[in-house]
């Protein structure tokens, strides 16, 4: 079932007056990289309603507009363009229906996301099981994505992704909560980015008119070739502690991820949520991320033994990519979030984040590939 058909099936049978709780959340976000490279505007509309005491319906609509230029994979300063123009709009919809069965809350979720060259359908099934007088919560579930990618020159390509996750949340005391989540995922099909390339210096030989040959080096671009499958695992550990004396909470999250691309990443995020009076909350935060390069990351094909790169790589080896997102790199985010409860039913929020990425080690992309960006978010929440 497509997600956009879920709401019409439910909403006509439940009047707004019959719903015990309504909550709407709308936000607007801008992402702007330095030097005008990439700009993204995002609009989000979220809502939830209690259809009965045990049944909850949630939905989300989103729209992203992106414009600017993104690194192609070519080296800067050469004959091939380092940046290529990007312009697209993404529209997405998500609907989720959950029901309480005793100590279990079971949820089914449908999603659809559409760009001019990308179409994705998603299905998720999960269960939250409360134990130990609700001091312990176990969560488990399955996610499935079915994607279709437009690749110019050949027929549309497909990608399928499967995720299995398990988590546990434990209340240690009235002020302390610990959580651990493990996700194992597998993707197969077309995993290349159709807009990323890698350059190679080729030799063109021409006659000198006197029976000899003259060699001319030329720089050509070839499509990247990633493996046609990817197995990954993600472990996330989170702890939250509330301090009565300061009317504040400290939240720390550690995330470890690995995959058979050879990428191992680590991230740490820390937030301090500070209440100022009964209506205002300020949250300064920082996030640090680092990863090593994929086994097949190269800045040029000159370092790869491949006689004739395929015009449309199929995922069979040898593999190669110059995508900076697969290089050895790190990023740092610093920001501040604010939330102001205007009344019992209306809240306003705003956030600013400074994001900076840079290469590390010997397997990094050119410095010009890594972005620095400013991110602004504004939102409003209405409850009935």
């Amino acid at each position: 079932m497509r997600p956009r058909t879920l709401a019409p099936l439910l909403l006509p049978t439940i009047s707004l007056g019959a719903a015990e709780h309504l909550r709407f959340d709308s936000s607007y976000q801008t992402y702007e990289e330095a030097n005008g490279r990439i700009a993204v505007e995002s609009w989000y509309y979220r809502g939830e309603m209690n259809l009965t005491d045990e049944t909850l319906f949630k939905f989300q609509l989103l729209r992203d507009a992106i414009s600017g230029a993104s690194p192609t994979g070519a080296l800067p300063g050469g004959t091939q363009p380092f940046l290529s123009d990007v312009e697209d709009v993404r529209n997405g919809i998500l609907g989720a229906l959950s029901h309480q069965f005793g100590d279990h809350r079971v949820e089914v979720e449908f999603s659809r996301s559409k760009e001019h060259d990308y179409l994705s359908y998603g299905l998720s099934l999960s269960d939250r099981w409360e134990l130990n007088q609700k001091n312990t919560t176990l969560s488990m579930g399955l996610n499935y994505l079915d994607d279709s990618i437009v690749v110019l020159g050949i027929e549309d390509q497909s990608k399928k992704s499967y995720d299995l996750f398990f988590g546990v949340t434990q209340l240690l005391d009235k002020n302390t909560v610990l959580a651990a989540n493990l996700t194992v995922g597998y993707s197969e099909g077309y995993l290349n980015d159709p807009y990323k390339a890698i350059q190679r210096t080729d030799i063109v030989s021409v006659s000198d008119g006197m029976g000899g040959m003259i060699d001319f080096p030329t720089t050509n671009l070839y499509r990247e070739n990633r493996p046609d499958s990817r197995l990954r695992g993600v472990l996330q550990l989170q702890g939250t502690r509330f301090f009565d004396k300061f009317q504040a909470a400290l939240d720390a999250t550690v995330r470890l991820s690995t995959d058979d691309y050879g990428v191992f990443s680590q991230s740490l995020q820390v937030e301090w949520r500070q209440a100022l009076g009964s209506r205002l909350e300020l949250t300064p935060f920082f996030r640090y991320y680092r990863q090593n390069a994929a086994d097949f990351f190269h800045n040029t094909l000159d370092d790869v033994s491949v006689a004739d790169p395929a015009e449309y790589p199929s995922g069979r080896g040898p593999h190669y990519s110059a995508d900076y997102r697969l290089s050895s790199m790190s990023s740092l985010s610093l920001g501040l979030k604010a939330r102001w409860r205007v009344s019992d039913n209306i809240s306003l929020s705003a956030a600013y984040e400074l994001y900076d990425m840079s290469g590390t080690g010997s397997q990094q992309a050119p410095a010009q590939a890594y972005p620095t960006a400013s991110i602004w978010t504004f939102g409003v929440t209405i409850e009935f």
Side-chain angles (χ1 to χ4, degrees), residues 2-4 111-113 119-123 144-147:
R2 295 187 178 187
R4 58 185 176 185
S111 63
R112 179 183 187 270
S113 179
L119 177 62
S120 177
Y121 288 99
L123 172 64
Y144 169 71
L145 288 175
D146 188 352
D147 301 339

Side-chain angles (χ1 to χ4, degrees), residues 64-247:
D64 295 333
I66 181 173
S67 61
S70 178
T72 61
L75 296 178
T79 58
Q80 297 291 346
F82 175 65
L83 298 174
S84 64
D85 293 335
V86 176
E87 187 171 345
D88 205 352
V89 174
R90 178 178 63 139
N91 293 291
I93 184 171
L94 177 150
L97 188 65
S98 64
H99 187 81
Q100 191 75 32
F101 296 93
D103 294 329
H104 294 264
R105 175 163 286 276
V106 178
E107 179 175 273
V108 60
E109 176 183 292
F110 301 91
S111 63
R112 179 183 187 270
S113 179
K114 177 71 170 68
E115 304 170 41
H116 86 278
D117 57 358
Y118 204 99
L119 177 62
S120 177
Y121 288 99
L123 172 64
S124 174
L125 179 64
S126 63
D127 178 32
R128 288 175 54 87
W129 182 14
E130 294 180 326
L131 303 167
N132 188 24
Q133 298 180 336
K134 298 186 177 182
N135 290 322
T136 305
T137 301
L138 301 180
S139 58
M140 60 206 77
L142 294 165
N143 296 327
Y144 169 71
L145 288 175
D146 188 352
D147 301 339
S148 177
I149 305 103
V150 176
V151 182
L152 295 179
I154 57 176
E155 63 183 10
D156 292 356
Q157 301 296 296
S158 65
K159 178 178 73 173
K160 300 184 186 300
S161 302
Y162 314 85
D163 288 313
L164 173 66
F165 64 89
F166 177 82
V168 57
T169 302
Q170 180 64 49
L171 181 66
L172 298 185
D173 56 47
K174 67 183 184 67
N175 289 339
T176 309
V177 179
L178 296 179
N181 297 278
L182 176 64
T183 301
V184 177
Y186 179 76
S187 300
E188 60 181 357
Y190 187 82
L191 303 187
N192 293 329
D193 186 325
Y195 299 102
K196 296 301 181 184
I198 184 170
Q199 75 174 45
R200 185 172 77 168
T201 303
D202 294 318
I203 303 299
V204 177
S205 299
V206 298
S207 173
D208 62 3
M210 295 179 294
M213 304 295 292
I214 301 177
D215 293 337
F216 291 95
T218 61
T219 301
N220 296 314
L221 287 182
Y222 298 92
R223 294 176 185 263
E224 68 171 15
N225 185 29
R226 307 186 191 193
D228 58 5
S229 66
R230 187 179 191 180
L231 178 65
R232 62 196 180 280
V234 180
L235 175 64
Q236 180 172 297
L237 305 174
Q238 182 176 5
T240 303
R241 173 72 178 180
F242 182 76
F243 298 90
D244 295 296
K245 179 179 180 180
F246 303 106
Q247 289 298 290

